[in-house]
Amino acid sequence: WGIPTICSSNGIDFDLVSIRKVEKKRESINLIAVAGLAKWHGYDRILRGMGEYYKEGEKREVQFHIVGEGSPIEEYKRIVEKYEIAEHVIFYGLKTGRELDSIYDQCSIGVENLGFHRTGVYRASTLKAREYAAKGLPFITSLKLDIFENEKFVLHVPADESNIDVNEIVAFYDELYLNIEFSLKSSETQPDIISKQNIEKAKSICDICVTMLPVIEYFKSKENK
């Protein structure tokens, strides 16, 4: 609209986010979604994908932890009932603080937005992606994210109404957590290393101290004139 702007992106204060405490061993693959639930989160896509995944027979155990409240919750519960996957999906309602952190500690992959295409949005600078990264979580998204386009800890899925292919999530998990060789210290696990790598990379590009630099530089330039 002809108004001068300072180009920046969303950022969060990484120092205010507690890193998930990775459990040493979990047999199942645990996904987590934390949100004020709305249609654009698209978690119905992953629930239907889980339904199809389990219909195929005995599989690797995949659990979906949904934290939050909102209008889609009843639809989600209907999908869970239809596909008979209640033992694989946990609804927590609203959780904060230590309760929320304890749920994060159980999980190995975050679920970001999967339905923003429903509002005509295909590219975004979401806070949720930054929050998962600050927790040390790899995550799944259907968006083109401004700063996470080519990161190995992000699984991109189609921005449409298709069911999410859970086999693809399992393969993503295995590549991250099982198939990569690390030189581990005695007290560290592969999830520990992955978390640290994710946080280190994400902090360098989306900590608030980094994303606000264009604003700081603008005011510095004004002061020097």
Side-chain angles (χ1 to χ4, degrees), residues 67-96:
V67 185
E69 298 174 345
S71 56
I73 199 74
E74 293 306 318
E75 178 192 2
Y76 296 168
K77 289 180 178 179
R78 286 194 295 270
I79 295 170
V80 168
E81 182 178 1
K82 173 184 175 182
Y83 284 99
E84 300 180 341
I85 54 172
E87 64 184 295
H88 309 294
V89 181
I90 305 169
F91 296 99
Y92 292 89
L94 179 64
K95 297 293 180 183
T96 60

Short mmCIF file of all heavy atoms in Angstrom, two decimals, residues 67-96:
data_model
loop_
_atom_site.label_atom_id
_atom_site.label_comp_id
_atom_site.label_asym_id
_atom_site.label_seq_id
_atom_site.Cartn_x
_atom_site.Cartn_y
_atom_site.Cartn_z
N VAL A 67 -3.03 -31.67 22.33
CA VAL A 67 -3.14 -30.79 23.49
C VAL A 67 -3.80 -29.49 23.05
O VAL A 67 -3.25 -28.77 22.20
CB VAL A 67 -1.75 -30.49 24.10
CG1 VAL A 67 -1.91 -29.66 25.38
CG2 VAL A 67 -1.00 -31.78 24.39
N GLY A 68 -4.95 -29.19 23.62
CA GLY A 68 -5.64 -27.96 23.27
C GLY A 68 -7.14 -28.16 23.18
O GLY A 68 -7.64 -29.29 23.23
N GLU A 69 -7.83 -27.06 23.02
CA GLU A 69 -9.29 -27.07 22.92
C GLU A 69 -9.71 -26.23 21.72
O GLU A 69 -8.96 -25.37 21.26
CB GLU A 69 -9.91 -26.51 24.20
CG GLU A 69 -9.59 -27.32 25.45
CD GLU A 69 -10.10 -26.66 26.71
OE1 GLU A 69 -10.44 -25.45 26.66
OE2 GLU A 69 -10.15 -27.34 27.75
N GLY A 70 -10.91 -26.48 21.24
CA GLY A 70 -11.42 -25.70 20.11
C GLY A 70 -12.53 -26.44 19.39
O GLY A 70 -12.80 -27.62 19.67
N SER A 71 -13.16 -25.78 18.43
CA SER A 71 -14.34 -26.33 17.77
C SER A 71 -14.11 -27.65 17.02
O SER A 71 -15.05 -28.45 16.92
CB SER A 71 -14.93 -25.28 16.81
OG SER A 71 -13.97 -24.86 15.87
N PRO A 72 -12.92 -27.94 16.46
CA PRO A 72 -12.76 -29.20 15.72
C PRO A 72 -12.70 -30.44 16.60
O PRO A 72 -12.70 -31.55 16.08
CB PRO A 72 -11.43 -29.01 14.98
CG PRO A 72 -11.13 -27.55 15.02
CD PRO A 72 -11.73 -27.07 16.29
N ILE A 73 -12.63 -30.28 17.92
CA ILE A 73 -12.36 -31.43 18.78
C ILE A 73 -13.40 -32.52 18.63
O ILE A 73 -13.08 -33.72 18.64
CB ILE A 73 -12.22 -31.00 20.26
CG1 ILE A 73 -11.50 -32.07 21.06
CG2 ILE A 73 -13.55 -30.65 20.87
CD1 ILE A 73 -10.03 -32.15 20.82
N GLU A 74 -14.67 -32.15 18.46
CA GLU A 74 -15.72 -33.16 18.31
C GLU A 74 -15.57 -33.93 17.01
O GLU A 74 -15.80 -35.15 16.96
CB GLU A 74 -17.10 -32.52 18.41
CG GLU A 74 -17.42 -31.95 19.79
CD GLU A 74 -17.25 -32.97 20.89
OE1 GLU A 74 -17.67 -34.14 20.69
OE2 GLU A 74 -16.70 -32.62 21.96
N GLU A 75 -15.19 -33.23 15.95
CA GLU A 75 -14.92 -33.92 14.67
C GLU A 75 -13.78 -34.91 14.85
O GLU A 75 -13.84 -36.05 14.35
CB GLU A 75 -14.58 -32.91 13.58
CG GLU A 75 -14.25 -33.58 12.25
CD GLU A 75 -13.64 -32.62 11.23
OE1 GLU A 75 -13.43 -31.43 11.56
OE2 GLU A 75 -13.35 -33.09 10.11
N TYR A 76 -12.72 -34.48 15.53
CA TYR A 76 -11.58 -35.36 15.75
C TYR A 76 -12.01 -36.62 16.49
O TYR A 76 -11.60 -37.73 16.16
CB TYR A 76 -10.49 -34.65 16.55
CG TYR A 76 -9.85 -33.47 15.86
CD1 TYR A 76 -9.03 -32.59 16.58
CD2 TYR A 76 -10.04 -33.22 14.51
CE1 TYR A 76 -8.43 -31.51 15.97
CE2 TYR A 76 -9.44 -32.13 13.89
CZ TYR A 76 -8.63 -31.28 14.63
OH TYR A 76 -8.03 -30.20 14.03
N LYS A 77 -12.85 -36.46 17.50
CA LYS A 77 -13.30 -37.61 18.29
C LYS A 77 -14.17 -38.54 17.45
O LYS A 77 -14.11 -39.77 17.62
CB LYS A 77 -14.04 -37.13 19.54
CG LYS A 77 -13.11 -36.48 20.57
CD LYS A 77 -13.86 -36.00 21.80
CE LYS A 77 -12.89 -35.41 22.82
NZ LYS A 77 -13.58 -34.91 24.04
N ARG A 78 -14.96 -37.97 16.54
CA ARG A 78 -15.77 -38.81 15.66
C ARG A 78 -14.88 -39.64 14.73
O ARG A 78 -15.18 -40.82 14.46
CB ARG A 78 -16.74 -37.95 14.84
CG ARG A 78 -17.92 -37.40 15.66
CD ARG A 78 -19.01 -36.86 14.75
NE ARG A 78 -18.56 -35.69 14.00
CZ ARG A 78 -18.67 -34.44 14.43
NH1 ARG A 78 -19.21 -34.18 15.62
NH2 ARG A 78 -18.26 -33.42 13.68
N ILE A 79 -13.83 -39.03 14.23
CA ILE A 79 -12.90 -39.76 13.35
C ILE A 79 -12.23 -40.90 14.12
O ILE A 79 -12.11 -42.03 13.63
CB ILE A 79 -11.84 -38.81 12.77
CG1 ILE A 79 -12.49 -37.77 11.86
CG2 ILE A 79 -10.77 -39.59 12.02
CD1 ILE A 79 -11.56 -36.65 11.45
N VAL A 80 -11.80 -40.61 15.34
CA VAL A 80 -11.17 -41.63 16.19
C VAL A 80 -12.12 -42.79 16.43
O VAL A 80 -11.74 -43.97 16.35
CB VAL A 80 -10.72 -41.00 17.53
CG1 VAL A 80 -10.34 -42.08 18.54
CG2 VAL A 80 -9.55 -40.05 17.31
N GLU A 81 -13.39 -42.48 16.69
CA GLU A 81 -14.38 -43.52 16.93
C GLU A 81 -14.65 -44.32 15.66
O GLU A 81 -14.73 -45.55 15.68
CB GLU A 81 -15.69 -42.89 17.43
CG GLU A 81 -16.77 -43.91 17.76
CD GLU A 81 -18.03 -43.27 18.30
OE1 GLU A 81 -18.08 -42.01 18.40
OE2 GLU A 81 -18.98 -44.02 18.61
N LYS A 82 -14.77 -43.62 14.52
CA LYS A 82 -15.05 -44.29 13.25
C LYS A 82 -13.96 -45.31 12.91
O LYS A 82 -14.25 -46.44 12.49
CB LYS A 82 -15.16 -43.26 12.13
CG LYS A 82 -15.29 -43.86 10.74
CD LYS A 82 -15.30 -42.78 9.67
CE LYS A 82 -15.32 -43.39 8.28
NZ LYS A 82 -15.28 -42.37 7.21
N TYR A 83 -12.71 -44.91 13.09
CA TYR A 83 -11.59 -45.78 12.71
C TYR A 83 -11.14 -46.71 13.85
O TYR A 83 -10.21 -47.50 13.67
CB TYR A 83 -10.40 -44.95 12.24
CG TYR A 83 -10.56 -44.38 10.85
CD1 TYR A 83 -10.96 -43.06 10.67
CD2 TYR A 83 -10.30 -45.15 9.73
CE1 TYR A 83 -11.10 -42.52 9.38
CE2 TYR A 83 -10.43 -44.63 8.45
CZ TYR A 83 -10.83 -43.31 8.28
OH TYR A 83 -10.96 -42.78 7.02
N GLU A 84 -11.76 -46.57 15.01
CA GLU A 84 -11.44 -47.41 16.18
C GLU A 84 -9.96 -47.31 16.55
O GLU A 84 -9.26 -48.32 16.70
CB GLU A 84 -11.85 -48.85 15.91
CG GLU A 84 -13.34 -49.01 15.65
CD GLU A 84 -13.74 -50.46 15.39
OE1 GLU A 84 -12.87 -51.28 15.05
OE2 GLU A 84 -14.94 -50.77 15.51
N ILE A 85 -9.50 -46.07 16.70
CA ILE A 85 -8.09 -45.85 17.03
C ILE A 85 -7.94 -45.11 18.37
O ILE A 85 -6.93 -44.45 18.61
CB ILE A 85 -7.36 -45.06 15.92
CG1 ILE A 85 -8.10 -43.75 15.59
CG2 ILE A 85 -7.20 -45.92 14.67
CD1 ILE A 85 -7.34 -42.83 14.63
N ALA A 86 -8.93 -45.27 19.25
CA ALA A 86 -8.91 -44.55 20.52
C ALA A 86 -7.67 -44.87 21.35
O ALA A 86 -7.17 -44.02 22.09
CB ALA A 86 -10.18 -44.86 21.32
N GLU A 87 -7.17 -46.10 21.24
CA GLU A 87 -5.99 -46.47 22.03
C GLU A 87 -4.72 -45.81 21.52
O GLU A 87 -3.69 -45.85 22.20
CB GLU A 87 -5.82 -47.99 22.04
CG GLU A 87 -5.53 -48.59 20.66
CD GLU A 87 -5.48 -50.11 20.71
OE1 GLU A 87 -4.57 -50.64 21.37
OE2 GLU A 87 -6.36 -50.73 20.09
N HIS A 88 -4.80 -45.17 20.34
CA HIS A 88 -3.62 -44.55 19.75
C HIS A 88 -3.67 -43.02 19.78
O HIS A 88 -2.73 -42.36 19.33
CB HIS A 88 -3.45 -45.00 18.30
CG HIS A 88 -3.49 -46.49 18.12
ND1 HIS A 88 -2.51 -47.32 18.64
CD2 HIS A 88 -4.40 -47.30 17.51
CE1 HIS A 88 -2.81 -48.58 18.34
NE2 HIS A 88 -3.95 -48.59 17.67
N VAL A 89 -4.77 -42.45 20.27
CA VAL A 89 -4.94 -40.99 20.26
C VAL A 89 -5.34 -40.53 21.67
O VAL A 89 -6.25 -41.09 22.28
CB VAL A 89 -6.04 -40.55 19.26
CG1 VAL A 89 -6.17 -39.02 19.26
CG2 VAL A 89 -5.72 -41.06 17.86
N ILE A 90 -4.63 -39.51 22.17
CA ILE A 90 -4.89 -39.00 23.52
C ILE A 90 -5.28 -37.54 23.41
O ILE A 90 -4.54 -36.72 22.85
CB ILE A 90 -3.65 -39.15 24.42
CG1 ILE A 90 -3.19 -40.60 24.43
CG2 ILE A 90 -3.97 -38.67 25.85
CD1 ILE A 90 -1.83 -40.80 25.06
N PHE A 91 -6.44 -37.18 23.95
CA PHE A 91 -6.90 -35.80 24.01
C PHE A 91 -6.69 -35.29 25.44
O PHE A 91 -7.26 -35.84 26.39
CB PHE A 91 -8.39 -35.71 23.64
CG PHE A 91 -8.71 -36.10 22.23
CD1 PHE A 91 -9.19 -37.36 21.94
CD2 PHE A 91 -8.51 -35.20 21.19
CE1 PHE A 91 -9.50 -37.73 20.63
CE2 PHE A 91 -8.81 -35.55 19.88
CZ PHE A 91 -9.31 -36.82 19.59
N TYR A 92 -5.91 -34.23 25.58
CA TYR A 92 -5.57 -33.72 26.91
C TYR A 92 -6.38 -32.49 27.31
O TYR A 92 -6.43 -32.16 28.49
CB TYR A 92 -4.09 -33.34 26.96
CG TYR A 92 -3.14 -34.50 26.87
CD1 TYR A 92 -2.69 -34.96 25.63
CD2 TYR A 92 -2.69 -35.15 28.01
CE1 TYR A 92 -1.80 -36.02 25.55
CE2 TYR A 92 -1.80 -36.21 27.93
CZ TYR A 92 -1.35 -36.64 26.70
OH TYR A 92 -0.48 -37.70 26.60
N GLY A 93 -6.96 -31.80 26.32
CA GLY A 93 -7.51 -30.49 26.63
C GLY A 93 -6.39 -29.48 26.81
O GLY A 93 -5.25 -29.71 26.40
N LEU A 94 -6.71 -28.36 27.43
CA LEU A 94 -5.72 -27.30 27.61
C LEU A 94 -4.73 -27.67 28.71
O LEU A 94 -5.12 -28.02 29.82
CB LEU A 94 -6.42 -25.99 27.98
CG LEU A 94 -5.53 -24.78 28.22
CD1 LEU A 94 -4.79 -24.39 26.95
CD2 LEU A 94 -6.36 -23.61 28.73
N LYS A 95 -3.44 -27.58 28.40
CA LYS A 95 -2.39 -27.83 29.38
C LYS A 95 -1.33 -26.74 29.25
O LYS A 95 -1.03 -26.27 28.15
CB LYS A 95 -1.74 -29.20 29.16
CG LYS A 95 -2.67 -30.39 29.33
CD LYS A 95 -3.14 -30.54 30.75
CE LYS A 95 -4.07 -31.73 30.93
NZ LYS A 95 -4.60 -31.86 32.29
N THR A 96 -0.74 -26.37 30.37
CA THR A 96 0.32 -25.37 30.38
C THR A 96 1.40 -25.78 31.38
O THR A 96 1.24 -26.75 32.12
CB THR A 96 -0.22 -23.98 30.79
OG1 THR A 96 -0.79 -24.08 32.12
CG2 THR A 96 -1.29 -23.49 29.83
#
